């Protein structure tokens, strides 16, 4: 307080004492924090701060406290020169539990640098599309399934990050923001925008860019307290609506917007993503080169309207050629009118998901022996799940003590596993006899 004019009652002393928050490591609670409190009480008659947040210590890769005597300290200026200040700040916070120590290694900052590059490239993608299409940034209805999904994920991230920040848990807040920006915005939504952005529909392009701009700006605001420099630089290069500040530093922190949360639509779209992931995993298992665009056949189990709307996403993100929806008879046939003969049915490999089964046309693509082995392994896993469910449902203790909803859920699981096993067996049989 002497720096503020004590013992005189100066305006600076009145303004800055007491303060609201002290952030410090736990190793100086007695040596510094406690003494600040009783010194403040003795000299000023009141405590110097209302709350204290204790952080952990930064240790070296072997878990030792950094010190001059051990010579294991790291010069932060060297790391900043190599990776950037934002990368260093983010690496020291991301995933660190409140009050917990962390072991530091340069690979943490390198990973954070890659994250900053990811954000930068997302902004570059947006600006390239903006220049290309000269879009008008106005929100439009109806929103696409991908738009509803990303807006829901965004607002749930805002809600969770805000709660964590309020609880001074910046490490977990960083992890939540990281997962959203890298996993959902960059890896998924930007890819999902491409069918609209590369189409000839000007309204669809403009609307998609409008949503992408909103999501990108909100993500930058979330990240700004942790990575102030890159977020400021990107913000200044983005289009601004009337009344938006030129600097992100004075932009309001995001708040949860219930009107932009579409839970049921987002949950349904997550199932579409599950189907896409399954097809991509199947391509990887089959070693299909990315340049190959095999035909894809989809048998719909539920959410037919949604799947038909999502066909451009499925085709683009699974790197498929001609993609069409088919009836089950197309593969397994009932000798009905319009069903192909056994000899004319295409040779395919199947990916089973909750919404639909996807069949990749595998002629000239697949090693029959390897694919048969893969299907056999899938069948073995399904059989194990069936035995597990049957065992639980045969257990009188489980049936009598478990909630009715849990028992019913287990019966539904058993039925799904039986259906899946039957489909896999049919696919293996079709493959080996083709």
């Amino acid at each position: 307080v002497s720096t503020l004019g004590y013992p005189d009652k100066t305006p600076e002393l009145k303004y800055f004492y007491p303060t609201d928050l002290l952030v410090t490591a736990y190793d100086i609670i007695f040596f510094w924090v406690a003494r600040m409190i009783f010194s403040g009480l003795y000299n000023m008659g009141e405590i110097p701060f209302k709350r204290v947040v204790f952080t952990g210590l930064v240790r070296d890769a072997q878990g030792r406290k950094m010190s001059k005597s051990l010579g294991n300290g790291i010069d932060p200026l060297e790391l900043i020169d190599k990776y950037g200040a934002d990368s260093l700040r983010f690496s020291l916070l991301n995933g660190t539990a409140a009050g917990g120590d962390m072991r530091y290694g340069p690979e943490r900052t390198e990973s954070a640098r890659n994250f900053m590059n990811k954000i930068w490239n997302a902004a570059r993608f947006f600006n390239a599309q903006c220049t290309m299409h000269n879009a008008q940034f106005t929100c439009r209805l109806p929103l696409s399934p991908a738009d509803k999904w990303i807006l829901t994920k965004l607002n749930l991230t805002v809600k969770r990050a805000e709660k964590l920040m309020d609880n001074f848990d910046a490490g977990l807040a960083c992890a939540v923001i990281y997962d959203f920006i890298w996993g959902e915005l960059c890896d998924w939504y930007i890819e999902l925008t491409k069918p609209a952005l590369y189409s000839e529909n000007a309204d669809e392009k403009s609307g998609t860019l409008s949503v992408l701009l909103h999501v990108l700006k909100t993500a930058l605001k979330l990240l700004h307290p942790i990575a102030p420099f890159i977020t400021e630089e990107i913000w200044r290069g983005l289009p601004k609506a009337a009344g938006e500040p030129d600097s992100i530093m004075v932009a309001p922190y995001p708040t949860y917007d219930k009107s932009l949360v579409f839970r049921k639509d987002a949950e349904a779209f997550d199932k579409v993503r599950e189907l896409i992931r399954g097809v991509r995993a199947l391509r990887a298992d089959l070693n299909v080169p990315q340049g190959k665009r095999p035909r894809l056949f989809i048998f719909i189990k539920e959410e037919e309207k949604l799947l038909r709307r999502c066909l451009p996403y499925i085709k683009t993100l699974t790197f498929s050629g001609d993609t069409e929806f088919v009836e089950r008879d197309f593969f397994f046939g009932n000798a009905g009118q319009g069903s192909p003969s056994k000899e004319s049915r295409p040779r395919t490999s199947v990916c089973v998901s909750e919404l639909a089964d996807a069949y990749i046309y595998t002629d000239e693509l697949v090693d029959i022996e390897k694919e048969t082995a893969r299907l056999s392994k899938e069948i073995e896993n399904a059989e194990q799940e069936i035995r597990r469910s049957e065992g639980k449902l045969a257990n009188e203790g489980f049936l009598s003590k478990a909630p009715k909803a849990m028992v019913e859920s287990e019966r539904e699981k058993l039925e799904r596993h039986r259906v899946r096993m039957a489909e896999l067996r049919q696919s293996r049989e079709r493959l080996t006899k083709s």
Side-chain angles (χ1 to χ4, degrees):
V1 293
S2 61
T3 62
L4 302 174
Y6 179 85
D8 296 332
K9 295 183 179 180
T10 62
E12 292 81 10
L13 183 60
K14 182 179 179 181
Y15 182 83
F16 287 106
Y17 192 96
T19 189
D20 186 67
L21 176 70
L22 173 71
V23 181
T24 185
Y26 61 77
D27 59 336
I28 57 171
I29 293 175
F30 174 74
F31 298 106
W32 184 237
V33 178
R35 298 179 188 219
M36 290 174 72
I37 293 173
F38 66 66
S39 179
L41 287 169
Y42 179 81
N43 291 290
M44 298 295 297
E46 57 183 325
I47 58 175
F49 29 75
K50 297 176 183 177
R51 290 175 288 187
V52 183
V53 173
F54 294 109
T55 67
L57 301 177
V58 180
R59 300 181 180 273
D60 66 15
Q62 287 72 45
R64 301 173 301 175
K65 184 178 178 179
M66 292 185 181
S67 68
K68 292 179 181 177
S69 59
L70 290 175
N72 60 346
I74 298 174
D75 186 347
L77 293 180
E78 292 181 3
L79 293 171
I80 290 171
D81 286 341
K82 187 174 182 180
Y83 299 110
D86 284 339
S87 300
L88 179 58
R89 287 164 62 100
F90 192 85
S91 68
L92 293 173
L93 277 175
N94 185 33
T96 304
D101 292 353
M102 66 164 289
R103 295 190 179 192
Y104 180 79
E107 63 278 359
R108 289 180 65 101
T109 309
E110 186 174 350
S111 175
R113 190 268 315 274
N114 294 341
F115 177 53
M116 300 303 154
N117 287 343
K118 194 83 169 177
I119 301 165
W120 185 265
N121 289 334
R124 285 184 60 193
F125 172 82
F126 171 83
N127 285 326
Q129 301 305 317
C130 169
T131 302
M132 188 185 303
H133 299 310
N134 190 27
Q136 298 296 313
F137 302 102
T138 54
C139 195
R140 59 81 169 90
L141 293 172
L143 295 166
S144 72
D147 294 339
K148 290 183 178 180
W149 172 78
I150 195 64
L151 289 170
T152 300
K153 296 294 184 182
L154 173 67
N155 277 280
L156 294 179
T157 299
V158 168
K159 186 176 184 179
R160 190 175 176 199
E162 186 177 27
K163 183 177 180 180
L164 289 167
M165 286 291 199
D166 287 344
N167 292 331
F168 305 105
D169 202 343
L172 288 183
C174 280
V176 168
I177 296 168
Y178 176 95
D179 289 344
F180 172 77
I181 292 177
W182 190 302
E184 291 167 338
L185 172 57
C186 295
D187 282 358
W188 276 96
Y189 184 66
I190 285 178
E191 295 302 314
L192 291 165
T193 65
K194 290 179 179 178
L197 296 180
Y198 299 152
S199 75
E200 299 301 321
N201 188 323
D203 290 338
E204 193 175 12
K205 292 175 186 175
S206 178
T208 299
L209 283 171
S210 174
V211 174
L212 179 55
L213 177 63
H214 169 74
V215 174
L216 182 58
K217 283 182 175 179
T218 306
L220 291 174
K221 291 177 187 177
L222 283 173
L223 187 62
H224 180 67
I226 300 110
F229 301 110
I230 190 171
T231 51
E232 176 73 12
E233 182 68 20
I234 294 173
W235 178 271
R236 288 181 179 273
L238 294 176
K240 308 292 190 301
E244 276 193 306
D246 291 331
S247 173
I248 195 174
M249 290 179 66
V250 293
Y253 198 71
T255 56
Y256 177 71
D257 187 348
K258 187 178 179 180
S259 67
L260 293 179
V261 175
F262 311 91
R263 289 185 182 272
K264 289 185 178 179
D265 298 280
E267 288 170 1
F269 193 78
D270 275 329
K271 295 178 182 179
V272 177
R273 291 201 306 148
E274 178 191 351
L275 174 65
I276 292 171
R277 277 195 296 262
V279 174
R280 291 168 71 158
L282 180 56
R283 284 181 60 109
D285 289 341
L286 298 173
N287 293 316
V288 179
Q290 191 163 321
K292 290 282 187 179
R293 296 289 188 269
R295 293 176 68 187
L296 186 67
F297 306 101
I298 301 174
F299 167 67
I300 301 174
K301 298 176 181 177
E302 55 181 82
E303 298 283 1
E304 178 175 355
K305 184 177 179 181
L306 173 65
L307 277 171
R308 291 188 181 277
R309 284 194 68 189
C310 292
L311 183 59
Y313 306 142
I314 297 170
K315 184 176 180 179
T316 300
L317 271 69
T318 60
F319 309 103
S320 299
D322 292 336
T323 304
E324 57 185 296
F325 296 105
V326 296
E327 300 297 328
R328 182 169 295 282
D329 288 354
F330 185 79
F331 297 102
F332 305 120
N334 292 320
Q337 188 175 0
S339 298
S341 65
K342 189 171 184 179
E343 293 73 22
S344 65
R345 291 173 203 149
R347 185 166 65 192
T348 60
S349 290
V350 63
C351 158
V352 180
S353 77
E354 188 172 348
L355 282 188
D357 295 342
Y359 298 82
I360 293 179
Y361 183 59
T362 56
D363 278 354
E364 301 178 356
L365 288 176
V366 177
D367 183 317
I368 301 298
E369 184 177 341
K370 288 184 178 179
E371 176 59 6
T372 301
R374 186 192 71 83
L375 288 171
S376 297
K377 182 64 176 176
E378 291 286 320
I379 291 168
E380 182 182 336
N381 292 338
E383 288 173 339
Q384 289 176 357
E385 291 295 329
I386 289 171
R387 286 195 295 271
R388 185 195 63 80
S389 289
E390 287 177 341
K392 287 184 74 172
L393 293 172
N395 186 329
E396 290 297 330
F398 173 75
L399 295 176
S400 61
K401 295 178 181 179
K404 185 177 179 181
M406 183 180 294
V407 175
E408 188 59 33
S409 174
E410 195 62 41
R411 289 195 176 108
E412 291 174 359
K413 282 183 186 178
L414 175 60
E415 183 59 28
R416 285 199 301 270
H417 290 313
R418 284 172 173 167
V419 170
R420 180 169 181 268
M421 186 174 67
E423 291 169 347
L424 290 168
R425 281 177 170 169
Q426 287 174 317
S427 295
R428 183 178 63 179
E429 180 182 355
R430 187 173 67 256
L431 188 68
T432 54
K433 291 185 179 180
S434 55

